[in-house]
Amino acid sequence: LVAYRRSIRDDGADAGFYFGEAPAAAGSAKSFNENMFYLFFNMLYEGEDPDRAVDLVLRTAGQHFHVSRAYIYEAEPEDRQVLRLTHEWCDEETESLGGRLETFSIAGESAAERAARAGVYQCDDTGAPGALPRGILPRVQESGIRAFLQCGILDRGLYRGCIGFDDCVAPRIWTDEEAETLARVARIVGGYLLRIRAQERRARQDP
């Protein structure tokens, strides 16, 4: 497999990556915009370990917005209909998706579900009647998700995975500012991952 899962928690050994401790204090989306996007670019494009850099970005965003979990699923190279968990950060009270939902297939999803997944897909209350399609609801319930925001990773219009942020404590109304900021974080990380995966494919092809 091209991708593999890395998981860090608030009490994990990866917490002190060499870019410095991730700030855990709460703040507004505006202050996050002003202070953190440049740092994210620096982490991703100037670091020597791509996986640890992605982990730290997820941790920083997850802590700042007080979500329970931040994660990335990427499409398998051999079967683009199968998504695999490749990166994850969880807070201390939240169970990893790795034990329950390491992989899942999107082969049976409707056109409407696929279209939603490719953009910014958010749900404020997964328990509300009719909030989610029947095909998605069991995965969400099994993972203990009460609210989520997901952003698709697209490569020239083709779906290659998603970056998500879950609240497993209670329903949550995502503000426009939160949604816009987290979507921008997802675009930064998603673009970086597409670049890394392309480099890996070229490296395997070269003699």
Side-chain angles (χ1 to χ4, degrees), residues 57-85:
V57 170
L58 292 182
R59 179 176 184 257
T60 303
Q63 287 183 330
H64 184 91
F65 286 102
H66 295 285
V67 299
S68 304
R69 181 191 292 128
Y71 52 89
I72 299 172
Y73 278 92
E74 295 181 69
E76 293 276 35
E78 300 85 1
D79 185 353
R80 298 294 188 181
Q81 302 297 309
V82 175
L83 300 184
R84 177 174 294 275
L85 184 66

PDB file of all heavy atoms in Angstrom, residues 57-85:
ATOM      1  N   VAL A  57      -0.374  19.000  11.906  1.00  0.00           N
ATOM      2  CA  VAL A  57      -1.394  19.919  11.407  1.00  0.00           C
ATOM      3  C   VAL A  57      -2.780  19.477  11.894  1.00  0.00           C
ATOM      4  O   VAL A  57      -3.579  20.289  12.366  1.00  0.00           O
ATOM      5  CB  VAL A  57      -1.359  20.002   9.873  1.00  0.00           C
ATOM      6  CG1 VAL A  57      -2.574  20.767   9.342  1.00  0.00           C
ATOM      7  CG2 VAL A  57      -0.080  20.696   9.404  1.00  0.00           C
ATOM      8  N   LEU A  58      -3.069  18.183  11.810  1.00  0.00           N
ATOM      9  CA  LEU A  58      -4.362  17.682  12.286  1.00  0.00           C
ATOM     10  C   LEU A  58      -4.531  17.941  13.779  1.00  0.00           C
ATOM     11  O   LEU A  58      -5.596  18.358  14.240  1.00  0.00           O
ATOM     12  CB  LEU A  58      -4.483  16.183  12.007  1.00  0.00           C
ATOM     13  CG  LEU A  58      -4.598  15.745  10.552  1.00  0.00           C
ATOM     14  CD1 LEU A  58      -4.747  14.229  10.483  1.00  0.00           C
ATOM     15  CD2 LEU A  58      -5.769  16.422   9.847  1.00  0.00           C
ATOM     16  N   ARG A  59      -3.472  17.700  14.529  1.00  0.00           N
ATOM     17  CA  ARG A  59      -3.542  17.906  15.977  1.00  0.00           C
ATOM     18  C   ARG A  59      -3.771  19.374  16.319  1.00  0.00           C
ATOM     19  O   ARG A  59      -4.595  19.703  17.175  1.00  0.00           O
ATOM     20  CB  ARG A  59      -2.247  17.412  16.627  1.00  0.00           C
ATOM     21  CG  ARG A  59      -2.194  17.600  18.141  1.00  0.00           C
ATOM     22  CD  ARG A  59      -0.914  16.984  18.687  1.00  0.00           C
ATOM     23  NE  ARG A  59      -0.881  17.064  20.132  1.00  0.00           N
ATOM     24  CZ  ARG A  59      -0.154  17.937  20.821  1.00  0.00           C
ATOM     25  NH1 ARG A  59       0.592  18.811  20.172  1.00  0.00           N
ATOM     26  NH2 ARG A  59      -0.163  17.936  22.141  1.00  0.00           N
ATOM     27  N   THR A  60      -3.063  20.256  15.653  1.00  0.00           N
ATOM     28  CA  THR A  60      -3.188  21.679  15.935  1.00  0.00           C
ATOM     29  C   THR A  60      -4.599  22.177  15.615  1.00  0.00           C
ATOM     30  O   THR A  60      -5.231  22.874  16.416  1.00  0.00           O
ATOM     31  CB  THR A  60      -2.162  22.472  15.112  1.00  0.00           C
ATOM     32  OG1 THR A  60      -0.853  21.986  15.399  1.00  0.00           O
ATOM     33  CG2 THR A  60      -2.236  23.950  15.445  1.00  0.00           C
ATOM     34  N   ALA A  61      -5.110  21.808  14.448  1.00  0.00           N
ATOM     35  CA  ALA A  61      -6.461  22.222  14.069  1.00  0.00           C
ATOM     36  C   ALA A  61      -7.498  21.590  14.986  1.00  0.00           C
ATOM     37  O   ALA A  61      -8.459  22.253  15.404  1.00  0.00           O
ATOM     38  CB  ALA A  61      -6.729  21.848  12.620  1.00  0.00           C
ATOM     39  N   GLY A  62      -7.319  20.312  15.312  1.00  0.00           N
ATOM     40  CA  GLY A  62      -8.285  19.637  16.170  1.00  0.00           C
ATOM     41  C   GLY A  62      -8.365  20.243  17.550  1.00  0.00           C
ATOM     42  O   GLY A  62      -9.455  20.457  18.094  1.00  0.00           O
ATOM     43  N   GLN A  63      -7.230  20.550  18.141  1.00  0.00           N
ATOM     44  CA  GLN A  63      -7.228  21.159  19.465  1.00  0.00           C
ATOM     45  C   GLN A  63      -7.788  22.575  19.431  1.00  0.00           C
ATOM     46  O   GLN A  63      -8.526  22.985  20.327  1.00  0.00           O
ATOM     47  CB  GLN A  63      -5.806  21.170  20.022  1.00  0.00           C
ATOM     48  CG  GLN A  63      -5.303  19.805  20.454  1.00  0.00           C
ATOM     49  CD  GLN A  63      -3.918  19.875  21.067  1.00  0.00           C
ATOM     50  OE1 GLN A  63      -3.119  20.733  20.726  1.00  0.00           O
ATOM     51  NE2 GLN A  63      -3.634  18.956  21.967  1.00  0.00           N
ATOM     52  N   HIS A  64      -7.434  23.336  18.413  1.00  0.00           N
ATOM     53  CA  HIS A  64      -7.879  24.721  18.348  1.00  0.00           C
ATOM     54  C   HIS A  64      -9.398  24.813  18.281  1.00  0.00           C
ATOM     55  O   HIS A  64     -10.002  25.666  18.932  1.00  0.00           O
ATOM     56  CB  HIS A  64      -7.262  25.408  17.143  1.00  0.00           C
ATOM     57  CG  HIS A  64      -7.586  26.875  17.052  1.00  0.00           C
ATOM     58  ND1 HIS A  64      -6.794  27.845  17.620  1.00  0.00           N
ATOM     59  CD2 HIS A  64      -8.624  27.525  16.473  1.00  0.00           C
ATOM     60  CE1 HIS A  64      -7.330  29.034  17.398  1.00  0.00           C
ATOM     61  NE2 HIS A  64      -8.434  28.869  16.694  1.00  0.00           N
ATOM     62  N   PHE A  65     -10.012  23.937  17.507  1.00  0.00           N
ATOM     63  CA  PHE A  65     -11.459  23.987  17.329  1.00  0.00           C
ATOM     64  C   PHE A  65     -12.197  23.027  18.255  1.00  0.00           C
ATOM     65  O   PHE A  65     -13.406  22.849  18.118  1.00  0.00           O
ATOM     66  CB  PHE A  65     -11.817  23.708  15.867  1.00  0.00           C
ATOM     67  CG  PHE A  65     -11.502  24.866  14.968  1.00  0.00           C
ATOM     68  CD1 PHE A  65     -10.365  24.858  14.178  1.00  0.00           C
ATOM     69  CD2 PHE A  65     -12.319  25.976  14.932  1.00  0.00           C
ATOM     70  CE1 PHE A  65     -10.063  25.932  13.356  1.00  0.00           C
ATOM     71  CE2 PHE A  65     -12.030  27.054  14.120  1.00  0.00           C
ATOM     72  CZ  PHE A  65     -10.905  27.037  13.332  1.00  0.00           C
ATOM     73  N   HIS A  66     -11.479  22.417  19.191  1.00  0.00           N
ATOM     74  CA  HIS A  66     -12.084  21.551  20.199  1.00  0.00           C
ATOM     75  C   HIS A  66     -12.948  20.463  19.576  1.00  0.00           C
ATOM     76  O   HIS A  66     -14.085  20.222  20.011  1.00  0.00           O
ATOM     77  CB  HIS A  66     -12.903  22.388  21.191  1.00  0.00           C
ATOM     78  CG  HIS A  66     -12.071  23.334  21.999  1.00  0.00           C
ATOM     79  ND1 HIS A  66     -11.268  22.932  23.054  1.00  0.00           N
ATOM     80  CD2 HIS A  66     -11.879  24.677  21.888  1.00  0.00           C
ATOM     81  CE1 HIS A  66     -10.647  23.985  23.560  1.00  0.00           C
ATOM     82  NE2 HIS A  66     -10.985  25.046  22.869  1.00  0.00           N
ATOM     83  N   VAL A  67     -12.421  19.810  18.565  1.00  0.00           N
ATOM     84  CA  VAL A  67     -13.099  18.637  18.025  1.00  0.00           C
ATOM     85  C   VAL A  67     -12.566  17.396  18.729  1.00  0.00           C
ATOM     86  O   VAL A  67     -11.543  17.439  19.414  1.00  0.00           O
ATOM     87  CB  VAL A  67     -12.912  18.519  16.495  1.00  0.00           C
ATOM     88  CG1 VAL A  67     -13.489  19.737  15.791  1.00  0.00           C
ATOM     89  CG2 VAL A  67     -11.449  18.328  16.120  1.00  0.00           C
ATOM     90  N   SER A  68     -13.275  16.296  18.578  1.00  0.00           N
ATOM     91  CA  SER A  68     -12.859  15.054  19.213  1.00  0.00           C
ATOM     92  C   SER A  68     -11.826  14.306  18.391  1.00  0.00           C
ATOM     93  O   SER A  68     -10.978  13.585  18.945  1.00  0.00           O
ATOM     94  CB  SER A  68     -14.081  14.144  19.422  1.00  0.00           C
ATOM     95  OG  SER A  68     -15.085  14.796  20.156  1.00  0.00           O
ATOM     96  N   ARG A  69     -11.905  14.483  17.082  1.00  0.00           N
ATOM     97  CA  ARG A  69     -11.094  13.663  16.191  1.00  0.00           C
ATOM     98  C   ARG A  69     -10.867  14.405  14.882  1.00  0.00           C
ATOM     99  O   ARG A  69     -11.763  15.073  14.373  1.00  0.00           O
ATOM    100  CB  ARG A  69     -11.823  12.346  15.923  1.00  0.00           C
ATOM    101  CG  ARG A  69     -11.131  11.361  15.057  1.00  0.00           C
ATOM    102  CD  ARG A  69     -12.085  10.230  14.660  1.00  0.00           C
ATOM    103  NE  ARG A  69     -12.479   9.372  15.776  1.00  0.00           N
ATOM    104  CZ  ARG A  69     -13.748   9.088  16.080  1.00  0.00           C
ATOM    105  NH1 ARG A  69     -14.732   9.597  15.364  1.00  0.00           N
ATOM    106  NH2 ARG A  69     -14.022   8.293  17.097  1.00  0.00           N
ATOM    107  N   ALA A  70      -9.665  14.294  14.342  1.00  0.00           N
ATOM    108  CA  ALA A  70      -9.357  14.799  13.005  1.00  0.00           C
ATOM    109  C   ALA A  70      -8.644  13.677  12.260  1.00  0.00           C
ATOM    110  O   ALA A  70      -7.792  12.995  12.831  1.00  0.00           O
ATOM    111  CB  ALA A  70      -8.475  16.044  13.074  1.00  0.00           C
ATOM    112  N   TYR A  71      -8.964  13.479  10.995  1.00  0.00           N
ATOM    113  CA  TYR A  71      -8.489  12.276  10.312  1.00  0.00           C
ATOM    114  C   TYR A  71      -8.454  12.478   8.803  1.00  0.00           C
ATOM    115  O   TYR A  71      -9.050  13.419   8.259  1.00  0.00           O
ATOM    116  CB  TYR A  71      -9.408  11.092  10.627  1.00  0.00           C
ATOM    117  CG  TYR A  71     -10.863  11.396  10.358  1.00  0.00           C
ATOM    118  CD1 TYR A  71     -11.432  11.166   9.108  1.00  0.00           C
ATOM    119  CD2 TYR A  71     -11.663  11.948  11.350  1.00  0.00           C
ATOM    120  CE1 TYR A  71     -12.756  11.473   8.854  1.00  0.00           C
ATOM    121  CE2 TYR A  71     -12.981  12.268  11.112  1.00  0.00           C
ATOM    122  CZ  TYR A  71     -13.526  12.024   9.863  1.00  0.00           C
ATOM    123  OH  TYR A  71     -14.824  12.351   9.610  1.00  0.00           O
ATOM    124  N   ILE A  72      -7.769  11.554   8.146  1.00  0.00           N
ATOM    125  CA  ILE A  72      -7.687  11.555   6.683  1.00  0.00           C
ATOM    126  C   ILE A  72      -7.918  10.139   6.187  1.00  0.00           C
ATOM    127  O   ILE A  72      -7.301   9.192   6.671  1.00  0.00           O
ATOM    128  CB  ILE A  72      -6.313  12.055   6.193  1.00  0.00           C
ATOM    129  CG1 ILE A  72      -6.075  13.495   6.649  1.00  0.00           C
ATOM    130  CG2 ILE A  72      -6.221  11.960   4.669  1.00  0.00           C
ATOM    131  CD1 ILE A  72      -4.674  14.000   6.365  1.00  0.00           C
ATOM    132  N   TYR A  73      -8.814  10.009   5.228  1.00  0.00           N
ATOM    133  CA  TYR A  73      -8.985   8.768   4.484  1.00  0.00           C
ATOM    134  C   TYR A  73      -8.503   9.011   3.060  1.00  0.00           C
ATOM    135  O   TYR A  73      -8.820  10.040   2.465  1.00  0.00           O
ATOM    136  CB  TYR A  73     -10.452   8.337   4.434  1.00  0.00           C
ATOM    137  CG  TYR A  73     -10.933   7.614   5.664  1.00  0.00           C
ATOM    138  CD1 TYR A  73     -11.526   8.321   6.712  1.00  0.00           C
ATOM    139  CD2 TYR A  73     -10.796   6.238   5.791  1.00  0.00           C
ATOM    140  CE1 TYR A  73     -11.967   7.662   7.847  1.00  0.00           C
ATOM    141  CE2 TYR A  73     -11.239   5.574   6.932  1.00  0.00           C
ATOM    142  CZ  TYR A  73     -11.832   6.291   7.941  1.00  0.00           C
ATOM    143  OH  TYR A  73     -12.267   5.639   9.073  1.00  0.00           O
ATOM    144  N   GLU A  74      -7.747   8.054   2.533  1.00  0.00           N
ATOM    145  CA  GLU A  74      -7.270   8.147   1.158  1.00  0.00           C
ATOM    146  C   GLU A  74      -7.707   6.916   0.376  1.00  0.00           C
ATOM    147  O   GLU A  74      -7.769   5.807   0.908  1.00  0.00           O
ATOM    148  CB  GLU A  74      -5.746   8.268   1.123  1.00  0.00           C
ATOM    149  CG  GLU A  74      -5.222   9.551   1.754  1.00  0.00           C
ATOM    150  CD  GLU A  74      -3.720   9.644   1.675  1.00  0.00           C
ATOM    151  OE1 GLU A  74      -3.197   9.816   0.557  1.00  0.00           O
ATOM    152  OE2 GLU A  74      -3.067   9.524   2.726  1.00  0.00           O
ATOM    153  N   ALA A  75      -8.011   7.132  -0.906  1.00  0.00           N
ATOM    154  CA  ALA A  75      -8.430   6.024  -1.763  1.00  0.00           C
ATOM    155  C   ALA A  75      -7.260   5.082  -2.004  1.00  0.00           C
ATOM    156  O   ALA A  75      -6.122   5.511  -2.208  1.00  0.00           O
ATOM    157  CB  ALA A  75      -8.956   6.565  -3.091  1.00  0.00           C
ATOM    158  N   GLU A  76      -7.547   3.783  -1.969  1.00  0.00           N
ATOM    159  CA  GLU A  76      -6.524   2.783  -2.242  1.00  0.00           C
ATOM    160  C   GLU A  76      -6.076   2.876  -3.701  1.00  0.00           C
ATOM    161  O   GLU A  76      -6.925   3.029  -4.603  1.00  0.00           O
ATOM    162  CB  GLU A  76      -7.080   1.376  -1.987  1.00  0.00           C
ATOM    163  CG  GLU A  76      -7.401   1.084  -0.529  1.00  0.00           C
ATOM    164  CD  GLU A  76      -6.181   0.641   0.245  1.00  0.00           C
ATOM    165  OE1 GLU A  76      -5.083   1.148  -0.041  1.00  0.00           O
ATOM    166  OE2 GLU A  76      -6.324  -0.212   1.132  1.00  0.00           O
ATOM    167  N   PRO A  77      -4.782   2.776  -3.978  1.00  0.00           N
ATOM    168  CA  PRO A  77      -4.320   2.844  -5.370  1.00  0.00           C
ATOM    169  C   PRO A  77      -4.894   1.734  -6.233  1.00  0.00           C
ATOM    170  O   PRO A  77      -5.192   1.943  -7.409  1.00  0.00           O
ATOM    171  CB  PRO A  77      -2.800   2.715  -5.234  1.00  0.00           C
ATOM    172  CG  PRO A  77      -2.495   3.106  -3.830  1.00  0.00           C
ATOM    173  CD  PRO A  77      -3.670   2.692  -3.020  1.00  0.00           C
ATOM    174  N   GLU A  78      -5.081   0.541  -5.647  1.00  0.00           N
ATOM    175  CA  GLU A  78      -5.568  -0.591  -6.424  1.00  0.00           C
ATOM    176  C   GLU A  78      -7.073  -0.538  -6.641  1.00  0.00           C
ATOM    177  O   GLU A  78      -7.588  -1.146  -7.582  1.00  0.00           O
ATOM    178  CB  GLU A  78      -5.215  -1.905  -5.714  1.00  0.00           C
ATOM    179  CG  GLU A  78      -3.726  -2.128  -5.514  1.00  0.00           C
ATOM    180  CD  GLU A  78      -3.192  -1.459  -4.243  1.00  0.00           C
ATOM    181  OE1 GLU A  78      -4.003  -0.840  -3.525  1.00  0.00           O
ATOM    182  OE2 GLU A  78      -1.988  -1.544  -3.996  1.00  0.00           O
ATOM    183  N   ASP A  79      -7.808   0.143  -5.774  1.00  0.00           N
ATOM    184  CA  ASP A  79      -9.267   0.218  -5.866  1.00  0.00           C
ATOM    185  C   ASP A  79      -9.708   1.549  -5.293  1.00  0.00           C
ATOM    186  O   ASP A  79      -9.790   1.715  -4.075  1.00  0.00           O
ATOM    187  CB  ASP A  79      -9.900  -0.941  -5.097  1.00  0.00           C
ATOM    188  CG  ASP A  79     -11.423  -0.976  -5.252  1.00  0.00           C
ATOM    189  OD1 ASP A  79     -11.985  -0.037  -5.848  1.00  0.00           O
ATOM    190  OD2 ASP A  79     -12.035  -1.951  -4.772  1.00  0.00           O
ATOM    191  N   ARG A  80     -10.014   2.488  -6.149  1.00  0.00           N
ATOM    192  CA  ARG A  80     -10.365   3.840  -5.718  1.00  0.00           C
ATOM    193  C   ARG A  80     -11.703   3.906  -4.986  1.00  0.00           C
ATOM    194  O   ARG A  80     -12.059   4.951  -4.443  1.00  0.00           O
ATOM    195  CB  ARG A  80     -10.395   4.778  -6.926  1.00  0.00           C
ATOM    196  CG  ARG A  80      -9.055   4.914  -7.655  1.00  0.00           C
ATOM    197  CD  ARG A  80      -8.008   5.574  -6.803  1.00  0.00           C
ATOM    198  NE  ARG A  80      -6.792   5.875  -7.547  1.00  0.00           N
ATOM    199  CZ  ARG A  80      -5.715   6.432  -7.023  1.00  0.00           C
ATOM    200  NH1 ARG A  80      -5.693   6.747  -5.742  1.00  0.00           N
ATOM    201  NH2 ARG A  80      -4.640   6.674  -7.762  1.00  0.00           N
ATOM    202  N   GLN A  81     -12.461   2.804  -5.004  1.00  0.00           N
ATOM    203  CA  GLN A  81     -13.732   2.767  -4.287  1.00  0.00           C
ATOM    204  C   GLN A  81     -13.551   2.432  -2.807  1.00  0.00           C
ATOM    205  O   GLN A  81     -14.500   2.508  -2.036  1.00  0.00           O
ATOM    206  CB  GLN A  81     -14.658   1.727  -4.922  1.00  0.00           C
ATOM    207  CG  GLN A  81     -14.947   1.946  -6.393  1.00  0.00           C
ATOM    208  CD  GLN A  81     -15.674   3.251  -6.643  1.00  0.00           C
ATOM    209  OE1 GLN A  81     -16.700   3.523  -6.006  1.00  0.00           O
ATOM    210  NE2 GLN A  81     -15.163   4.062  -7.537  1.00  0.00           N
ATOM    211  N   VAL A  82     -12.341   2.060  -2.422  1.00  0.00           N
ATOM    212  CA  VAL A  82     -12.052   1.701  -1.034  1.00  0.00           C
ATOM    213  C   VAL A  82     -11.205   2.800  -0.406  1.00  0.00           C
ATOM    214  O   VAL A  82     -10.164   3.190  -0.953  1.00  0.00           O
ATOM    215  CB  VAL A  82     -11.310   0.352  -0.942  1.00  0.00           C
ATOM    216  CG1 VAL A  82     -10.917   0.051   0.500  1.00  0.00           C
ATOM    217  CG2 VAL A  82     -12.190  -0.759  -1.497  1.00  0.00           C
ATOM    218  N   LEU A  83     -11.655   3.301   0.731  1.00  0.00           N
ATOM    219  CA  LEU A  83     -10.928   4.346   1.457  1.00  0.00           C
ATOM    220  C   LEU A  83     -10.252   3.742   2.677  1.00  0.00           C
ATOM    221  O   LEU A  83     -10.845   2.923   3.388  1.00  0.00           O
ATOM    222  CB  LEU A  83     -11.875   5.460   1.894  1.00  0.00           C
ATOM    223  CG  LEU A  83     -12.630   6.199   0.786  1.00  0.00           C
ATOM    224  CD1 LEU A  83     -13.456   7.327   1.381  1.00  0.00           C
ATOM    225  CD2 LEU A  83     -11.684   6.726  -0.275  1.00  0.00           C
ATOM    226  N   ARG A  84      -9.011   4.164   2.910  1.00  0.00           N
ATOM    227  CA  ARG A  84      -8.229   3.674   4.045  1.00  0.00           C
ATOM    228  C   ARG A  84      -7.828   4.842   4.938  1.00  0.00           C
ATOM    229  O   ARG A  84      -7.413   5.897   4.463  1.00  0.00           O
ATOM    230  CB  ARG A  84      -6.983   2.933   3.570  1.00  0.00           C
ATOM    231  CG  ARG A  84      -6.065   2.460   4.702  1.00  0.00           C
ATOM    232  CD  ARG A  84      -4.926   1.617   4.197  1.00  0.00           C
ATOM    233  NE  ARG A  84      -5.420   0.358   3.652  1.00  0.00           N
ATOM    234  CZ  ARG A  84      -5.670  -0.724   4.388  1.00  0.00           C
ATOM    235  NH1 ARG A  84      -5.465  -0.695   5.713  1.00  0.00           N
ATOM    236  NH2 ARG A  84      -6.104  -1.819   3.824  1.00  0.00           N
ATOM    237  N   LEU A  85      -7.950   4.637   6.246  1.00  0.00           N
ATOM    238  CA  LEU A  85      -7.515   5.630   7.224  1.00  0.00           C
ATOM    239  C   LEU A  85      -5.996   5.713   7.205  1.00  0.00           C
ATOM    240  O   LEU A  85      -5.308   4.726   7.469  1.00  0.00           O
ATOM    241  CB  LEU A  85      -8.003   5.216   8.618  1.00  0.00           C
ATOM    242  CG  LEU A  85      -7.725   6.176   9.766  1.00  0.00           C
ATOM    243  CD1 LEU A  85      -8.485   7.475   9.605  1.00  0.00           C
ATOM    244  CD2 LEU A  85      -8.094   5.507  11.092  1.00  0.00           C
TER     245      LEU A  85
END
